[in-house]
Amino acid sequence: MGRRKKAVKKVVKRKKYMVAKVFKCLFCNHDKSVMCKMDSQSMTGELKCTICEAKYQTQINSLSEPIDVFTEWLDETSNLQAEMTKKDVSQSGQFESNEDGNEEDVDDGYESND
C-alpha cells in the first residue's frame, strides 16, 4: 500500500500596488504633468510641473514617498487659498470708496433700525 499524493497548492501572487509618482497639476490641471524628485542626500522633495513650471519643495525623511510630498503641496495650496479668501473678505468691509476717495455705505440688503 502506498501513501496518497498531496495536492500541490498553487502560489497566488498578489498584485503589488504602486504609489503614483506623476500627478495632476493643481494650477494648470494637466494630467501626468507634475514630476516628483526625492533627494535623500539633502533630504528634500521637489515637485515640478512640466507645463506651467509650478514648483514646490519641502523637507522629507527616510520614509517619505512622492505622494507625501504631493499631499503636502495640496495642503499648502489649500491653506494659502483659504487665507487669501479670508483676507479678501476682511478687506472688503462695509464701506467702499468712490471716485472722489470718499467712503460710502454699501447696501448689503439688510435694513438697520437706527
Side-chain angles (χ1 to χ4, degrees), residues 1 6 10 21 30 37 47 57 71 100 104 108:
M1 295 207 126
K6 287 188 175 181
K10 292 183 180 179
K21 294 181 183 177
H30 281 89
K37 282 186 183 178
L47 294 171
Q57 187 172 8
T71 54
D100 301 333
E104 294 179 353
D108 56 358

Side-chain angles (χ1 to χ4, degrees), residues 87-99 101-108 112 114:
K87 188 176 180 181
D88 290 342
V89 169
S90 66
Q91 285 182 352
S92 66
Q94 287 291 321
F95 294 96
E96 289 184 0
S97 60
N98 58 13
E99 296 165 357
N102 299 331
E103 292 183 344
E104 294 179 353
D105 193 12
V106 177
D107 183 21
D108 56 358
S112 62
D114 292 338

Side-chain angles (χ1 to χ4, degrees), residues 38-45 57-60:
M38 306 287 282
D39 188 6
S40 58
Q41 295 292 329
S42 63
M43 300 300 277
T44 58
Q57 187 172 8
T58 187
Q59 294 289 331
I60 61 170

Side-chain angles (χ1 to χ4, degrees), residues 13-14 23 29 32-33 60-61:
K13 290 186 179 181
R14 293 186 181 178
F23 308 99
N29 292 325
K32 299 180 181 178
S33 64
I60 61 170
N61 58 32

